[in-house]
Amino acid sequence: MHEYTSRVRVWGLTCPGFPEEVSRARRWTRDILRGSPLADDAALIVSELSTNALLHTSSGRERGSFHLALAVAPQVIALSVTDDGGGSTPKIEHQDQDAEHGRGLGMVSAIAHRVVVQGADSGYTVTAELFVQPRRGDHPC
């Protein structure tokens, strides 16, 4: 591999804290992952995480924002949303089917192969990883 190249590609997008930015984040994710069988799952995850940032943190307040990072490697797609803080620690809860709220991270954890929450009161980053199925003849490393 050349010294200045990598098989891992990383993109970032910062969105102002307006509800319509969730659809922009979803489109951005689909555009980057065009042709990937995981594009729809990734877009749904980004939509849920972005919505949570707007609803439950300072990201949804005046002058708020949220940041997306999308990393694509041969074996994994990692989607991260970082909020502006000011909310409670994101928790994966499994609500009953009649609940109107509180199912977003539970749904993300059902779709993703791994979900990691990092941060503190100043801001949390929720990262969801989707593992890419190796093609026949590909090596895991």
Side-chain angles (χ1 to χ4, degrees), residues 22-101:
V22 173
S23 62
R24 177 177 167 218
R26 197 171 39 245
R27 281 191 313 274
W28 177 82
T29 302
R30 278 196 183 112
D31 286 348
I32 291 170
L33 296 176
R34 183 167 293 147
S36 169
L38 298 174
D40 288 338
D41 286 346
L44 178 60
I45 288 169
V46 163
S47 181
E48 287 298 323
L49 296 181
S50 300
T51 298
N52 284 350
L54 293 177
L55 291 177
H56 303 296
T57 74
S58 297
S59 293
R61 295 187 186 140
E62 187 175 342
R63 298 185 189 161
S65 65
F66 61 95
H67 182 78
L68 285 86
L70 173 57
V72 179
Q75 299 300 319
V76 66
I77 295 171
L79 307 139
S80 299
V81 174
T82 302
D83 63 49
D84 280 348
S88 59
T89 304
K91 294 185 235 32
I92 298 170
E93 297 177 1
H94 299 283
Q95 303 288 342
D96 63 29
Q97 67 186 57
D98 296 330
E100 292 184 23
H101 300 288

Side-chain angles (χ1 to χ4, degrees), residues 92-139:
I92 298 170
E93 297 177 1
H94 299 283
Q95 303 288 342
D96 63 29
Q97 67 186 57
D98 296 330
E100 292 184 23
H101 300 288
R103 294 188 298 198
L105 274 182
M107 183 171 47
V108 168
S109 71
I111 296 169
H113 294 97
R114 187 169 96 150
V115 177
V116 178
V117 178
Q118 297 175 308
D121 291 336
S122 60
Y124 287 93
T125 299
V126 180
T127 302
E129 296 177 353
L130 296 168
F131 298 150
V132 178
Q133 297 295 325
R135 294 178 302 226
R136 186 175 292 228
D138 282 356
H139 298 283

